[in-house]
Amino acid sequence: MVHLIKFQGDIQQSQFESLSQQAIETNNQIKHFGLAPDNIIRWVYPLKGNEAAIGLDYMQMPEQKSLVLRAMETRGPQLAGPIRLFQGGDALIYRSPVFCKTKNGNDLYWGVVSAVVSIKRLMENSGINYERNLQIIITGKDAAGRSGEPIFGNPLLIHMDPVFQAISVPGGTWAVGAIPANGWSVNHFYDSVYFYSGLLLTLFINSLLFLLLKRNAKIRSQNIALSSEISVRKKAEDALISNEEKYRRLIEDMNDVVIRFDTKGKILYCSPSVEQFSGHQPHLLTGTSLQTLITDPRDGLRLMKEFKKIVQGGKPQPIQFIFLPKNQPAFYAEITGRLVEDLEKNPSIHAILRDIRVRKQMESELVRAKEEAESANSLKTVFLANMSHEIRTPMNSILGFSELLLLDETQSPQSLKYLNILFNSAKNLLRLIDDILDISIIDSGHLKLHPKNHNLNALLDELCSSFEPAVTTKKIKLITSYALPDNESNFYFDDLRLQQIIRNLINNAIKFTNEGSITLGYKILNNELELFVSDTGTGISKHHLDIIFERFRQAEGSNRILQEGTGLGLAISKSLTEIMNGKISVSSTLGKGSTFKITIPLEKTTVPKHPVSKPDKHKTKDLSNKTILVAEDDPSNFELIETYLANTGIQLIHAVNGAEAVEIHKTHKPLHLILMDIKMPVMDGLEACRIIRQTDKKIPILAQSAYVMHEDKVAAVNAGMQHYITKPINKELFLDIIYKTLTAVPSK
């Protein structure tokens, strides 16, 4: 108890009572304890029967004052008594002065701790009361030794020449004296029983001294252990108080509000920040419900539903609602709670309430910015689509007539050279427009796949055929390597986008391969399709492999010329592959070649898909009995179509807009086919087709347009058109479609 007061600077009543109870239970000779800070008795344990001692001032009691002053002076414990107690009875009093350290390190007197000891029980525990062969007396009241007044035994024994032995006690000594039970004998010294009695008395006194010293050592050991325990407990309590203070300040300094609810939603505690948050003082909210500060009753019901879920062990979720503070405008707030239990397993909900106005504003701004960006992307895509249309329209004539002139054998070598430059430059410009449009569609997130059942071998064969002129010119070989036969290569995929990916890879291989070969093929690996394009070209350095799929990047080496192109082809292929949930990779060795691989999850089908038929260049197309209505507002494009069909014998009727096409369809008989441009003045081709379909469901109507978006093709089909021919028109494909359509469908 003394050590605890030294460490703490004071003691709580609960601590005093707990330590007193423990000491009394283990030492039955102690009757009660008393605490006297400033030498005035404040607490006594047990209190019952000792009420009269409360409030006594040792400095006003002459008998006690000198003993207390001696304890203060010696700074050590003192044993006083026997004394007559105010509450009745005689007892010994063990007093220990207490000194505490000040902040400056000085000692400050606190008061005394007193233990009242029963003389009777002390003597019983020492065994003196049970001695039958000796008469014993103990002197030394107030630890005054042999000169002190008797404490125990018959006072007359002092005059009977007893044998004395001094015993050290706190603050002084006691003197234990003894004579034989029947008094001293007068016989010969050695023959007398008293000699032996004296000897036994000496042994007894020494034994008593040993027992008292042993008990004193035990008490000291217990005090040391208690002191250590008190020290540890004090440090723990100090750490707890420090942490409590730290977290209390943290909570008080938080802008967010800490609230504790019972399981019914009633507020048990609010942190001080609630006043600034809501305008209400914390103690006024205690016992109320947060629902009173929520504007929308539905939000209040959501909050109570969330609390119920938390109590039942559900995962906490933040609840957002409109909070109504006092004398302030309502604002968005958010609360998140969790279930906690106290030491007695009583559950409650600890929640954090925060103002989310800034977050809501940021979210609103982000949404608005996203919408504006998406709108800008959409506008950009529309703009590029319109630009593509406007460029493709004249490009149709440029490429078409250039190709016709290249086939003219009367041209001089110089003219053919210029025509080739013109033709290839126009194709490069067209490819640039297509790449920029594709990138825009990909960026806008509007690109959608349209998978159907296709024969992969046939698609790859068609691609190889389209590259025959290019590989022949460079005198390199284009080799195919298929893992499956034609009748087993049916898959479900978007043929146009897959062709676009492979076309970009083959174009890239042709650019950088001057001799050797290019191999196009595929393997089936773990239910995935692995397409590959390998070449024996110049290869790519390790440094450039890291950037080759980036936009507007092209690999170039010290020993090769930078190839023409936008640097978008591989970037587009990578994006399209990822949209297909696939991966694209490249491996290369400088001077030996490169291999590009595409891994795509494909669904194999059992429905056979007929191979794509190739245009038959040598087939005679005698269609002199057929009439075609061509709706085309651009005169040069009509003239190109007229030139393409010049040797077929087909009669052409020209309409410069959709309205004129509708009128000619009504009046001119027979008509076997309508070629319909989409964008025309007065009435567009889609509207014209819909009107014609109201009265004529059979006549074939083919779209021929510079619009290339998938949505445009779908719109044409929905309007009633059977086929969509994209400008610039491929002559051989165009003639093949015309021939098949006219020979398969009866005239109107």
Side-chain angles (χ1 to χ4, degrees):
M1 195 178 302
V2 172
H3 287 292
L4 181 62
I5 297 172
K6 283 183 178 180
F7 277 112
Q8 293 185 167
D10 202 352
I11 189 171
Q12 298 178 8
Q13 184 174 358
S14 59
Q15 294 174 320
F16 164 71
E17 292 176 351
S18 176
L19 292 173
S20 299
Q21 181 182 4
Q22 182 180 351
I24 291 173
E25 288 176 352
T26 56
N27 298 277
N28 66 347
Q29 64 265 32
I30 299 177
K31 297 181 66 175
H32 57 265
F33 282 91
L35 276 187
D38 298 324
N39 297 328
I40 299 174
I41 298 177
R42 181 197 301 172
W43 293 323
V44 177
Y45 183 88
L47 180 61
K48 186 176 182 181
N50 298 309
E51 293 87 347
I54 301 297
L56 292 178
D57 187 347
Y58 289 144
M59 297 298 101
Q60 303 300 323
M61 303 167 63
E63 185 180 0
Q64 302 285 350
K65 180 178 179 180
S66 61
L67 297 172
V68 172
L69 290 175
R70 187 170 69 182
M72 293 172 61
E73 182 180 355
T74 62
R75 296 194 171 206
Q78 300 290 325
L79 186 64
I83 62 173
R84 175 68 59 181
L85 300 175
F86 275 88
Q87 53 270 46
D90 295 328
L92 298 171
I93 298 180
Y94 175 90
R95 287 194 180 94
S96 182
V98 182
F99 291 86
C100 300
K101 291 289 186 182
T102 65
K103 293 182 179 180
N104 298 326
N106 299 323
D107 288 338
L108 177 66
Y109 177 70
W110 180 86
V112 293
V113 177
S114 301
V116 178
V117 181
S118 168
I119 298 177
K120 180 181 179 182
R121 289 180 183 173
L122 178 63
M123 298 309 165
E124 287 176 351
N125 290 343
S126 66
I128 291 178
N129 281 0
Y130 304 103
E131 180 55 48
R132 296 291 180 262
N133 296 320
L134 299 172
Q135 297 183 58
I136 296 173
I137 183 171
I138 300 176
T139 64
K141 181 179 180 181
D142 297 330
R146 186 169 177 176
S147 62
E149 296 179 14
I151 296 173
F152 175 80
N154 185 357
L156 296 177
L157 291 178
I158 295 175
H159 307 291
M160 298 174 69
D161 196 20
V163 177
F164 279 98
Q165 177 68 45
I167 300 175
S168 295
V169 295
T173 60
W174 283 353
V176 179
I179 64 173
N182 297 321
W184 296 109
S185 170
V186 296
N187 295 336
H188 187 274
F189 181 76
Y190 293 106
D191 294 335
S192 173
V193 69
Y194 298 108
F195 169 77
Y196 296 103
S197 298
L199 182 61
L200 290 174
L201 175 62
T202 301
L203 291 174
F204 168 74
I205 292 173
N206 287 332
S207 298
L208 177 62
L209 179 61
F210 173 77
L211 289 174
L212 290 174
L213 290 175
K214 184 177 180 181
R215 177 171 291 277
N216 185 55
K218 182 179 179 181
I219 292 173
R220 285 180 177 274
S221 177
Q222 290 176 340
N223 283 341
I224 292 171
L226 181 60
S227 173
S228 176
E229 180 182 349
I230 290 172
S231 177
V232 172
R233 183 178 297 180
K234 180 64 170 59
K235 290 180 180 179
E237 289 178 352
D238 287 345
L240 183 63
I241 293 170
S242 175
N243 285 335
E244 182 180 354
E245 178 68 14
K246 179 174 67 177
Y247 289 117
R248 183 183 65 79
R249 289 181 179 178
L250 179 63
I251 290 175
E252 290 178 353
D253 293 341
M254 286 174 59
N255 291 326
D256 297 341
V257 181
V258 178
I259 306 180
R260 184 160 57 91
F261 298 90
D262 65 13
T263 55
K264 302 295 183 181
K266 184 183 293 184
I267 297 174
L268 303 176
Y269 166 81
C270 289
S271 62
S273 54
V274 75
E275 185 169 359
Q276 182 178 357
F277 191 92
S278 68
H280 297 277
Q281 295 181 4
H283 69 277
L284 296 179
L285 291 176
T286 302
T288 66
S289 171
L290 190 63
Q291 287 179 282
T292 58
L293 303 177
I294 298 176
T295 58
D296 192 336
R298 293 172 297 181
D299 289 336
L301 292 175
R302 285 195 304 117
L303 180 62
M304 296 310 299
K305 185 177 179 181
E306 173 67 12
F307 282 2
K308 184 178 180 181
K309 183 186 77 173
I310 293 173
V311 172
Q312 293 173 349
K315 183 179 180 181
Q317 297 290 338
I319 298 293
Q320 295 184 1
F321 57 91
I322 298 178
F323 186 80
L324 184 62
K326 182 179 179 181
N327 301 325
Q328 296 179 37
F331 58 84
Y332 273 103
E334 180 183 86
I335 189 168
T336 306
R338 64 184 181 90
L339 188 68
V340 297
E341 292 182 343
D342 59 19
L343 295 176
E344 298 178 356
K345 301 298 182 180
N346 297 317
S348 61
I349 298 172
H350 286 209
I352 300 293
L353 177 65
R354 58 173 51 96
D355 183 346
I356 58 171
R357 279 178 287 190
V358 175
R359 190 208 305 174
K360 279 291 185 181
Q361 183 179 355
M362 291 176 62
E363 288 175 355
S364 177
E365 291 174 356
L366 285 173
V367 169
R368 185 168 61 252
K370 179 176 177 291
E371 291 173 350
E372 290 175 356
E374 289 175 346
S375 176
N377 254 332
S378 297
L379 290 174
K380 181 180 72 173
T381 302
V382 171
F383 169 76
L384 290 173
N386 288 332
M387 287 298 297
S388 173
H389 177 275
E390 297 307 313
I391 292 174
R392 280 174 174 273
T393 298
M395 197 64 68
N396 185 50
S397 298
I398 294 171
L399 287 172
F401 287 116
S402 297
E403 185 178 20
L404 290 175
L405 289 173
L406 285 170
L407 297 174
D408 185 359
E409 297 179 354
T410 63
Q411 297 290 338
S412 66
Q414 189 74 8
S415 297
L416 289 174
K417 177 182 177 181
Y418 294 155
L419 286 170
N420 265 313
I421 294 173
L422 176 65
F423 184 74
N424 289 328
S425 297
K427 285 175 64 178
N428 288 337
L429 178 60
L430 187 62
R431 189 178 299 114
L432 171 64
I433 295 299
D434 288 343
D435 285 349
I436 294 175
L437 183 59
D438 282 337
I439 283 291
S440 175
I441 297 171
I442 291 169
D443 286 346
S444 68
H446 294 158
L447 191 144
K448 300 292 188 296
L449 297 178
H450 304 280
K452 294 180 182 179
N453 178 35
H454 296 284
N455 186 279
L456 181 61
N457 288 8
L459 180 139
L460 298 180
D461 285 342
E462 181 185 6
L463 273 174
C464 289
S465 297
S466 67
F467 283 104
E468 283 180 6
V471 296
T472 301
T473 300
K474 296 196 74 173
K475 297 179 181 181
I476 55 179
K477 294 180 180 180
L478 181 55
I479 305 169
T480 57
S481 175
Y482 304 157
L484 298 173
D486 292 350
N487 61 347
E488 296 180 13
S489 62
N490 298 298
F491 293 95
Y492 195 69
F493 57 89
D494 186 321
D495 60 327
L496 294 178
R497 293 304 177 185
L498 188 59
Q499 282 189 65
Q500 184 177 1
I501 294 171
I502 300 171
R503 189 179 296 277
N504 285 337
L505 296 182
I506 295 177
N507 269 324
N508 192 69
I510 291 174
K511 284 181 185 179
F512 300 115
T513 304
N514 297 319
E515 59 181 0
S517 63
I518 298 171
T519 302
L520 168 64
Y522 67 88
K523 300 175 183 178
I524 305 298
L525 300 173
N526 300 323
N527 296 321
E528 289 185 324
L529 177 68
E530 182 185 270
L531 286 154
F532 60 88
V533 176
S534 61
D535 63 64
T536 59
T538 57
I540 308 166
S541 68
K542 184 178 180 180
H543 166 69
H544 288 103
L545 284 176
D546 298 331
I547 63 171
I548 197 164
F549 291 111
E550 295 180 11
R551 295 179 184 181
F552 307 108
R553 293 280 197 162
Q554 289 183 318
E556 53 178 308
S558 59
N559 60 346
R560 58 192 272 190
I561 302 172
L562 179 64
Q563 301 291 333
E564 61 184 15
T566 61
L568 289 174
L570 292 179
I572 292 172
S573 294
K574 181 177 185 292
S575 297
L576 292 176
T577 302
E578 290 172 349
I579 291 173
M580 294 178 177
N581 296 319
K583 296 179 181 178
I584 188 170
S585 62
V586 59
S587 59
S588 183
T589 303
L590 272 176
K592 293 185 178 181
S594 306
T595 298
F596 287 82
K597 292 181 180 180
I598 306 163
T599 305
I600 304 173
L602 287 180
E603 178 185 349
K604 191 173 183 181
T605 63
T606 56
V607 180
K609 177 74 176 181
H610 295 295
V612 179
S613 61
K614 302 174 185 178
D616 187 353
K617 299 179 182 179
H618 306 291
K619 191 173 186 67
T620 302
K621 301 176 176 61
D622 183 12
L623 303 172
S624 56
N625 61 337
K626 304 297 183 181
T627 302
I628 297 178
L629 169 60
V630 180
E632 173 61 66
D633 63 320
D634 188 287
S636 61
N637 282 335
F638 173 75
E639 186 175 349
L640 181 63
I641 293 173
E642 191 176 34
T643 304
Y644 282 166
L645 298 174
N647 296 327
T648 63
I650 297 174
Q651 180 185 356
L652 299 181
I653 301 174
H654 185 202
V656 296
N657 57 60
E660 190 173 318
V662 171
E663 189 61 31
I664 292 174
H665 171 264
K666 290 179 181 179
T667 59
H668 195 284
K669 308 296 180 184
L671 285 178
H672 301 92
L673 175 65
I674 299 175
L675 283 173
M676 187 75 75
D677 190 13
I678 300 297
K679 184 179 180 181
M680 292 184 293
V682 183
M683 180 186 293
D684 63 49
L686 297 177
E687 182 64 24
C689 182
R690 283 190 284 266
I691 293 173
I692 292 172
R693 285 297 181 219
Q694 291 176 3
T695 58
D696 190 344
K697 306 291 185 184
K698 295 181 178 181
I699 188 170
I701 303 176
L702 309 182
Q704 48 96 22
S705 173
Y707 286 123
V708 294
M709 303 284 283
H710 177 78
E711 292 78 8
D712 300 320
K713 298 176 182 179
V714 172
V717 172
N718 291 338
M721 301 184 190
Q722 284 92 338
H723 209 291
Y724 197 96
I725 301 170
T726 303
K727 295 176 182 177
I729 296 172
N730 182 300
K731 178 185 176 184
E732 294 301 328
L733 183 62
F734 172 73
L735 292 176
D736 190 64
I737 293 172
I738 295 296
Y739 178 80
K740 288 179 179 179
T741 304
L742 290 176
T743 55
V745 180
S747 61
K748 177 183 170 185

